Amino acid sequence: FSVYPTIARMEPLMASLRVDPASLHTAEACTAFLERAYAIVDRHRALIEAHGNDILFLSQAHFDLLPATWSHLLSVTPDILSAIPLGTAPPESPADFTAFMEACVSSQLNPFPRETVAPAPCHVRHFLGTSEKKRDEMVKMAHVVAAAARGCETNHVVDIGCGKGYLSTLLAAAHGLTVLGIEQSQDTADAANERNESVRKKLPKDGGKAGFHLKVRAACIKLHERSGGVGLETILAEEGVKHTLLTGLHICGDLLPDCLALFTTCPAISSMLVCGCCYNMMTEYDPSHPDSHACFPLSATARRMNIQYGRRLRNAACHSVFEWTGQRAAWINRIRYTSGYRAILGAYMHHHSLTTNMKWGKTFQNVKRQPAFGTWAAGLLALHCEGADPALHSADVLQRYYDEIADDVTRKLLVFESVAGLLFPVLESLIVVDRILFLLEHGCKATVSALFDPALSPRNWIIVANRA
């Protein structure tokens, strides 16, 4: 993990301003955090919404959203720019920029684990087909789930969205828990059961096989009125489960908020330990339809505050600013060959009054291969711009246009993303605290903590809840 020393060097400058997640154990503390964080988000909404809309970066002058006093950032090296979202101000920054950074950092949860989880290593057979990142996540997750199960005096765990059962297998084989995996896809559930049987056969005979209790069931869990499928309470009754712990690693979109709601109503679930992801897939609350199913914001307090994100803010909440520092060359290349190409082509099209209905996200894979701009842009115009004269808008013409402005545009994009990146952890922190507040409002004991190193696993927040 070569990224860690880099982050360690850059982290200390404003780290003390971040909020300790352990301090948010009351509804009052969570409400105060939401008010402060959302004030920052709402004040700089235009900046966040402009981020990622590369095609309009030049034609709508997105860079001008930044105060003129921040122009010093244009002379800062990419190494220093990449550290801005972590809370490191460049030398000789003006007071208003430093104040902006401090406001953003003080509205973020501290994403670094308070203590290192170092469980005993598990045999590689439990992780066949997984990456080093996933292995690290599953070992640590299984360790804390097993400890939580012991704490609430149960040996049974329900793994929601278990996929092929990697975490479930580890919980059963390495920690001796009885696991019921729930997976919506029948094919995936069948593959998980086949894999589990293969692992079971390889376990030692002296107690290993006898202690391995795992079943993966295909089911579309009914978590709200609009969904089909069956209720989790029905499944638990059919399985004869009266006392269980609910878990899930990287539960996507609406499913994790739905699990939180389920925990508040299902007595058989005595404890919960879950990790979410894919905030961009969440359904947002619409005040004009208060009875419709929505998963953000979840708490009644946040809804009264009229907290609203929209698609671009939800997408921004998914970004990992730690990757920019750890993989600086990749970050710079993405800005130059993805954001930069789109921004310059957008400006060219605006200047020549060219229009297209193409979805720009579909150009990403082509840009990743880093073709010459002229060749790439000419191909897109020929395919997707009706009325674009190939002779007038040739690859050579487009390449000359690019060469004249590319360096300046790349610098501006690097600065713009670095500044906007200060707000991304604020967006994610607000989502996480809203979920904790929802549980507190329903009389549960709830806490949140970072389990994985954010440089390796960006979605590292673990929500732990128990009956009051």
Side-chain angles (χ1 to χ4, degrees):
F1 306 109
S2 59
V3 63
Y4 294 170
T6 303
I7 289 181
R9 281 200 309 273
M10 297 181 172
E11 172 61 19
L13 297 185
M14 289 191 182
S16 62
L17 297 177
R18 291 197 177 102
V19 176
D20 181 0
S23 68
L24 302 176
H25 58 274
T26 67
E28 292 76 16
C30 290
T31 300
F33 179 90
L34 290 181
E35 289 173 345
R36 182 173 69 253
Y38 192 60
I40 294 293
V41 167
D42 211 30
R43 190 178 309 141
H44 300 285
R45 182 178 294 269
L47 173 62
I48 307 171
E49 291 182 340
H51 172 267
N53 198 5
D54 307 321
I55 198 71
L56 300 177
F57 182 78
L58 295 175
S59 60
Q60 293 192 359
H62 287 169
F63 190 80
D64 293 342
L65 291 170
L66 305 183
T69 54
W70 298 3
S71 60
H72 72 292
L73 296 174
L74 288 171
S75 60
V76 172
T77 65
D79 285 9
I80 297 177
L81 287 177
S82 69
I84 288 176
L86 303 185
T88 299
E92 301 180 1
S93 291
D96 59 340
F97 181 71
T98 303
F100 167 73
M101 290 189 67
E102 291 178 350
C104 290
V105 175
S106 64
S107 298
Q108 302 172 12
L109 299 180
N110 185 354
F112 291 94
R114 299 184 71 179
E115 55 188 48
T116 302
V117 176
C122 299
H123 195 280
V124 71
R125 63 171 169 259
H126 302 315
F127 306 114
L128 294 177
T130 61
S131 64
E132 182 180 7
K133 169 182 175 292
K134 294 301 292 183
R135 290 195 293 272
D136 178 77
E137 292 169 349
M138 285 185 289
V139 168
K140 291 178 178 177
M141 187 74 169
H143 182 78
V144 296
V145 169
R150 289 191 296 269
C152 65
E153 299 181 343
T154 183
N155 196 52
H156 192 279
V157 172
V158 174
D159 184 6
I160 291 286
C162 66
K164 293 185 178 180
Y166 291 105
L167 176 61
S168 299
T169 300
L170 195 55
L171 290 169
H175 296 279
L177 295 169
T178 298
V179 184
L180 172 62
I182 304 293
E183 171 56 42
Q184 183 173 348
S185 166
Q186 182 66 60
D187 290 343
T188 304
D190 291 343
N193 282 316
E194 289 179 10
R195 179 183 171 279
N196 295 335
E197 181 61 20
S198 175
V199 171
R200 189 191 67 80
K201 291 178 180 178
K202 296 176 182 178
L203 292 173
K205 294 181 179 180
D206 53 346
K209 289 182 172 62
F212 185 76
H213 301 290
L214 171 58
K215 175 182 179 181
V216 177
R217 177 167 171 172
C220 178
I221 300 298
K222 182 179 180 181
L223 297 169
H224 52 83
E225 293 180 359
R226 201 175 60 186
S227 68
V230 295
L232 184 57
E233 286 186 86
T234 301
I235 291 177
L236 294 178
E238 291 173 355
E239 299 290 336
V241 178
K242 297 181 180 180
H243 183 37
T244 190
L245 179 147
L246 180 67
T247 191
L249 177 57
H250 293 150
I251 306 175
C252 291
D254 284 351
L255 185 54
L256 186 135
D258 282 339
C259 286
L260 304 187
L262 206 110
F263 175 73
T264 66
T265 61
C266 182
I269 306 173
S270 56
S271 187
M272 177 174 61
L273 198 152
V274 290
C275 176
C277 67
C278 302
Y279 307 125
N280 56 309
M281 297 171 63
M282 296 186 305
T283 303
E284 287 204 48
Y285 176 70
D286 183 354
S288 63
H289 298 88
D291 296 328
S292 62
H293 173 259
C295 290
F296 179 77
L298 200 58
S299 66
T301 301
R303 291 186 178 187
R304 286 194 298 270
M305 291 168 59
N306 197 30
I307 290 178
Q308 297 180 357
Y309 271 17
R311 180 175 61 86
R312 290 198 179 279
L313 269 67
R314 294 198 308 273
N315 286 341
C318 298
H319 285 285
S320 170
V321 296
F322 293 93
E323 292 179 350
W324 302 354
T325 299
Q327 303 175 32
R328 194 175 300 111
W331 175 60
I332 295 171
N333 281 339
R334 176 174 61 79
I335 293 296
R336 176 176 291 276
Y337 295 110
T338 300
S339 300
Y341 272 29
R342 291 176 182 170
I344 293 173
L345 180 57
Y348 182 90
M349 292 174 64
H350 178 76
H351 180 73
H352 292 278
S353 300
L354 299 174
T355 59
T356 179
N357 293 323
M358 186 182 70
K359 294 182 179 180
W360 289 99
K362 295 188 178 298
T363 66
F364 181 69
Q365 292 298 326
N366 291 335
V367 177
K368 280 185 71 174
R369 291 195 289 270
Q370 301 178 9
F373 174 83
T375 303
W376 171 80
L380 283 180
L381 293 180
L383 286 173
H384 301 287
C385 283
E386 198 171 317
D389 185 349
L392 183 61
H393 308 293
S394 66
D396 289 342
V397 171
L398 287 159
Q399 189 64 47
R400 285 195 297 272
Y401 181 85
Y402 172 83
D403 291 340
E404 290 174 1
I405 62 174
D407 289 342
D408 180 64
V409 172
T410 300
R411 276 197 301 273
K412 287 183 175 179
L413 282 166
L414 286 169
V415 169
F416 192 83
E417 179 154 308
S418 297
V419 173
L422 277 163
L423 293 156
F424 300 163
V426 180
L427 293 167
E428 182 179 21
S429 297
L430 201 151
I431 291 170
V432 172
V433 175
D434 169 58
R435 294 172 174 180
I436 294 299
L437 183 54
F438 169 81
L439 292 168
L440 294 173
E441 289 175 343
H442 284 77
C444 303
K445 294 180 180 179
T447 59
V448 62
S449 61
L451 180 60
F452 317 123
D453 193 298
L456 182 64
S457 305
R459 304 283 80 80
N460 69 336
W461 294 112
I462 305 297
I463 294 175
V464 182
N466 296 284
R467 302 285 175 197

